[in-house]
Amino acid sequence: MTPDVLPVAEEFVRMFHAAHSDAGSLSARIAQVRAEIAETGTYRHTTDELAYGARIALRDSGWCTSGVPWRRLKVRDLRGYRNASAVAGECVEHLRLATNGGEIRPLVTVFAPDAPGSPGPVIWNEQLIRYAGYSDGIGDRRYMGFTESMQGMGWRPPVRRSRFDLLPLVVETQHEGPRLFTLPSEIVHEVPLEHPTLPWFGEMGLRWHAVPVISNMRLSIGGVHYPAAPFNSWFVGAEIGTRSLADEGAYGVAREVAEALGLDTSSERTLWRDLATVHLNAAVLHSFDKAAVTITDHHAEALHRLAWLRSRQRPSAARPAFRLDTAAAARARNGSPARFTAALDETRPQPTSRLAELLRQQHSLTSA
């Protein structure tokens, strides 16, 4: 942590105390932060400061969908977790808690921060749940590079590949390098897609996962950086129907739907793609509603985003924020570059049973 962090830290502490009149002595807290930075090069947020910073960051990020009560967002403080297996196990627990039987629960889970000589872990995946994309065009084409990289690191796709094969979770630490973990299938809630008025639509075999947990953005609060801080709200229908399923760069099923509808696909001027995309979005909203899984539509979200643009705060180094750097974006799509140059030369996927055992141990400790 560089010396210029001190004014950023002080500004954040003042911001926190201005929002919490019961937080105690501001001068005493600033003196404590100064002493910590002078001694260690960094400082530790209090539990309340961390929760406040994570909530403000999510509120101001633009990723907080309409209806999310950001002041009551659950913030899971797991700053003591630095080992890959522990981080992966708690990512699975995040999915379980967030899914909540379909009534999606917005969460933020914060793992160990970067500190002088001790960088925190990172999660490579763009979201905890992503589908593989293969060179023959099967699956999500956005992740063809990531899928190929995972295979080079030891991941083996199912013998019978499908459009919706779950990619492994990749957690990288300085002392372990990148490690692969197989997500337990029972923890991944998926919604089969059908159309409200087109009976044949369900025969296409389309589906999508219920919870969008963004996992490769860095949470920055008052000069302290948390490189692994997965968070979620819930899906906007168009993120699935338009950006993932219809888009030629992803699944590209708009043409398949258009042909099934008997539309003229000889020219874009017939607007066949637009009509097919409307049907895909209608199917997503209908299916999530039928499965009782929380979702919002892009019209409601447009109004929310407009209100957000009008009210958002001017960004500054001290304001909490979720940030994405170019290296993290590249890792999410291409499976490289590794964050740490001393990463392991070879890794193997960790079995589902290992994560399940970790979760059983955690639950037994909690209930003890």
Side-chain angles (χ1 to χ4, degrees), residues 47-63:
T47 300
D48 289 340
E49 288 171 351
L50 178 71
Y52 171 75
R55 288 166 181 155
I56 293 297
L58 186 54
R59 183 198 68 181
D60 292 352
S61 68
W63 289 97

Side-chain angles (χ1 to χ4, degrees), residues 354-367:
R354 174 59 179 155
L355 290 185
E357 177 60 28
L358 283 169
L359 290 176
R360 280 195 294 271
Q361 292 174 3
Q362 290 160 9
H363 287 311
S364 63
L365 288 173
T366 302
S367 58

